[in-house]
Amino acid sequence: YRFDQFNLIKLGLLNIILGLEGTEEQAGALGSLLNNKKKINRGGVYSNVSLNMEGLVLSSGLRYERMQNAGGRLVYKAGAKFVLGQLDTRVNFSSGFKAPNLYHYFASSGANLDLKPEKSESFDVSLFYQSHLLNMTLSYFGTEYDDYINYVFNNNNNSLSRYENIDSASIK
């Protein structure tokens, strides 16, 4: 099941969203390690605030997520959007948290009960140009991960292939 309840509050140029979310992930037959029904519960509270001025939007958000199998973590996001004529510039920063799911823990191929949650820090900068003749986007982004969840193949013995945490990884 899944639920998501939120409220939007408008105060002039300011928009505030406050919310509560929860899910229950269930599985019953993922493979040989799962001989009975398993489930993982997740829940979170979140807020998002945006200030909309002419040509400029500033936004920020906080979220606390708690997962039965991985504890809890506070994550954030912050961004700005600036519009000048046909040019739109955006800058965003955020953090993330991803817990292993039931498949990572109990699949017949690759299961690993010792996985840790994946954590990340991200940023992106984008320029958008739009006219009646041309639409163009230029973006640069990067994400740094700690305890990245990855499937590691063992070429010598496929039964030893499994999900593992990689200490650090990056995408740019």
Side-chain angles (χ1 to χ4, degrees):
Y1 75 86
R2 177 182 173 84
F3 74 87
D4 189 0
Q5 178 66 45
F6 67 92
N7 287 315
L8 171 62
I9 303 164
K10 292 184 174 237
L11 301 170
L13 300 175
L14 199 63
N15 291 328
I16 303 169
I17 296 174
L18 302 172
L20 179 65
E21 179 182 48
T23 61
E24 180 179 82
E25 183 180 346
Q26 295 184 28
L30 290 175
S32 62
L33 294 179
L34 190 59
N35 56 13
N36 58 13
K37 194 171 207 174
K38 299 288 184 183
K39 66 181 178 177
I40 295 176
N41 293 309
R42 305 165 190 243
V45 294
Y46 58 92
S47 67
N48 189 62
V49 177
S50 64
L51 178 61
N52 300 303
M53 300 173 285
E54 189 171 326
L56 179 65
V57 177
L58 301 173
S59 63
S60 65
L62 286 175
R63 177 183 186 84
Y64 178 78
E65 182 125 16
R66 179 142 182 90
M67 301 182 190
Q68 177 182 342
N69 58 321
R73 183 161 173 96
L74 183 67
V75 294
Y76 69 87
K77 69 176 182 173
K81 175 182 171 183
F82 180 70
V83 179
L84 182 60
Q86 295 170 309
L87 185 63
D88 180 339
T89 305
R90 299 177 191 186
V91 178
N92 297 290
F93 299 92
S94 64
S95 64
F97 173 70
K98 177 183 167 188
N101 61 36
L102 286 173
Y103 191 82
H104 293 130
Y105 284 140
F106 299 109
S108 60
S109 174
N112 183 351
L113 293 171
D114 296 323
L115 287 173
K116 296 179 276 188
E118 180 178 285
K119 296 169 278 311
S120 63
E121 299 280 333
S122 300
F123 73 93
D124 67 85
V125 178
S126 298
L127 298 172
F128 301 90
Y129 176 79
Q130 182 175 353
S131 72
H132 66 282
L133 295 175
L134 178 67
N135 291 332
M136 185 171 44
T137 302
L138 177 65
S139 296
Y140 181 80
F141 60 91
T143 303
E144 299 290 330
Y145 293 93
D146 290 326
D147 297 320
Y148 183 77
I149 298 171
N150 190 41
Y151 192 77
V152 178
F153 289 96
N154 183 321
N155 290 330
N156 296 327
N157 184 346
N158 195 39
S159 67
L160 297 178
S161 299
R162 67 183 201 150
Y163 288 98
E164 293 183 7
N165 287 108
I166 297 173
D167 289 338
S168 65
S170 64
I171 298 173
K172 292 186 180 189

